[in-house]
Amino acid sequence: MKLNKFKDIEGTNIKMLDITSYGSIIVNKDEAEEIYKLIDKQVKQHKQISVDLSKILTMTTSCAKQIFGQLYVELGAADFYERITIKGASQDLKIVIRSGIESALEQNKNKSN
C-alpha cells in the first residue's frame, strides 16, 4: 500500500485525501482498488471527504469506475455528492470520472435486471 495522507481541513469536519503517491496517471486497477478502499473507509468514519486531484493528469475510465463509480452506486447520488468532493480535477478528468460513474450505474442496472 502506498503512503496516503488524510489531512483535516482546518475549521471543518472534512478530511482531505492526498493521492499524489500514486503518481499523476492512475491506470492500475490494484491502485484504483486501494484508493477506493481508502475513500470508502473514511466516508464510513467521517461525514465528508475531499479528494484532491489537482496533480492527477488522467486516469482510465475503468479506474474511475472502480473508485468513483463504485462509491456512487453504494452511496446513491445524494449521499455521494454530499459526502465526497472532488477538488482540482481538470475538465478532461471530470469527463473520465463521469464516464466511470455512468458505466458503474449501467453495470449495476444490468445486474438488477
Side-chain angles (χ1 to χ4, degrees):
M1 181 178 270
K2 306 263 182 178
L3 176 64
N4 296 284
K5 297 179 183 175
F6 273 97
K7 300 176 186 171
D8 291 323
I9 298 177
E10 194 171 328
T12 71
N13 195 24
I14 301 171
K15 296 278 188 180
M16 173 71 78
L17 173 60
D18 176 6
I19 61 170
T20 57
S21 63
Y22 291 96
S24 60
I25 300 173
I26 308 294
V27 295
N28 181 296
K29 288 184 178 186
D30 292 335
E31 290 179 346
E33 183 64 18
E34 283 183 31
I35 295 167
Y36 160 76
K37 286 179 180 177
L38 285 168
I39 296 171
D40 184 53
K41 181 179 177 184
Q42 289 297 315
V43 164
K44 288 176 180 169
Q45 294 175 358
H46 305 281
K47 284 196 171 267
Q48 293 181 300
I49 302 297
S50 183
V51 183
D52 183 2
L53 299 179
S54 60
K55 294 187 174 117
I56 304 301
L57 299 176
T58 191
M59 80 173 51
T60 61
T61 304
S62 65
C63 288
K65 175 183 174 183
Q66 195 169 0
I67 299 167
F68 299 106
Q70 193 170 334
L71 289 163
Y72 190 96
V73 168
E74 290 171 1
L75 296 172
D79 273 353
F80 180 88
Y81 288 113
E82 182 179 312
R83 299 175 73 187
I84 298 173
T85 304
I86 297 170
K87 297 278 189 187
S90 68
Q91 282 304 114
D92 289 342
L93 189 52
K94 288 177 184 177
I95 291 168
V96 170
I97 292 168
R98 191 174 306 119
S99 294
I101 290 171
E102 289 171 358
S103 178
L105 287 170
E106 186 64 31
Q107 182 180 0
N108 189 57
K109 179 181 171 186
N110 290 338
K111 283 182 183 177
S112 299
N113 292 335

